[in-house]
Amino acid sequence: MSGSGLPGEPPVGDGDAVDVVRVLVVDDQELVREGIASLLGVQPGVTVVATAGDGPRAVEAAVTHRPDVALVDVRMPGMDGIETTVALTARVPSCRVVMLTTFDDRDYVARALGAGAVGYLLKNLPSAELARSVRLARAGVAPLDASVLAGLTVAPVTRAPVVPAGTLTEREVHVLRLIASGSTNREIASRLFLSEGTVKNHVSRILSRLQLRDRTQAALYARDHGLL
């Protein structure tokens, strides 16, 4: 599939399958499931390799088709989205799970991220934005709906302390802010006039020094500590 990504996204090659994000859509409502698949199918750099109406079929499809990203509804009968996320990440570790749901619920968000999901999106976003989020998820950037991210954090802090003194350099704090805003490594490099390799090194040091697992936790840390 040919096309070009949005600014700051991984490039989409001309006919090069390596650059195409392979997506699995999991939703118990057939009309919704097929609608999402159809909308994504016309977006550049994205191909839907399978759909599934429940958790067990989703795991089976993931093992068979090896998608890069799975879009999973949080509420499904039997094996819900949380359990499906656990199973998907265990059976196909390379597949990044993003919850796609109508439920803006703090408990669901926390449980989904705790189960291994890399992002949490609401179904009311435009199809182009959904495709962008899928591409970012494959690239390792956590797609989180703004209202969802805000709901996970404590009330805005008014105190000056942001991170423990000496933990991060001024440059690393700036990089952390940009991570929390949803910027890719390429966008951060452009903003700070750095190479992408240097940015990757900064991100690795930030995660290590703050003892964080991934960019999602880094974004939540930044919100909780008044960096945004």
Side-chain angles (χ1 to χ4, degrees), residues 106-126:
R106 178 171 181 165
D107 180 59
Y108 276 142
V109 178
R111 288 173 58 206
L113 297 180
V118 302
Y120 196 104
L121 300 170
L122 301 181
K123 289 180 179 176
N124 60 357
L125 78 171

Side-chain angles (χ1 to χ4, degrees), residues 61-180:
V63 171
T64 300
H65 297 281
R66 298 287 166 171
D68 300 306
V69 177
L71 296 174
V72 180
D73 189 14
V74 72
R75 277 196 187 179
M76 296 187 294
M79 189 176 180
D80 67 13
I82 308 300
E83 295 171 307
T84 300
T85 297
V86 173
L88 283 173
T89 54
R91 294 293 303 277
V92 188
S94 61
C95 178
R96 299 179 184 273
V97 178
V98 176
M99 309 307 293
L100 181 62
T101 181
T102 58
F103 299 100
D104 183 1
D105 181 276
R106 178 171 181 165
D107 180 59
Y108 276 142
V109 178
R111 288 173 58 206
L113 297 180
V118 302
Y120 196 104
L121 300 170
L122 301 181
K123 289 180 179 176
N124 60 357
L125 78 171
S127 57
E129 183 62 26
L130 177 58
R132 180 178 189 271
S133 296
V134 163
R135 292 191 288 267
L136 291 176
R138 201 273 296 270
V141 180
L144 289 168
D145 186 271
S147 63
V148 166
L149 183 57
L152 276 178
T153 60
V154 297
V157 297
T158 56
R159 296 180 288 108
V162 174
V163 293
T167 303
L168 300 180
T169 66
E170 183 177 348
R171 173 71 78 186
E172 288 165 349
V173 170
H174 199 171
V175 170
L176 179 56
R177 285 196 177 100
L178 292 173
I179 291 173

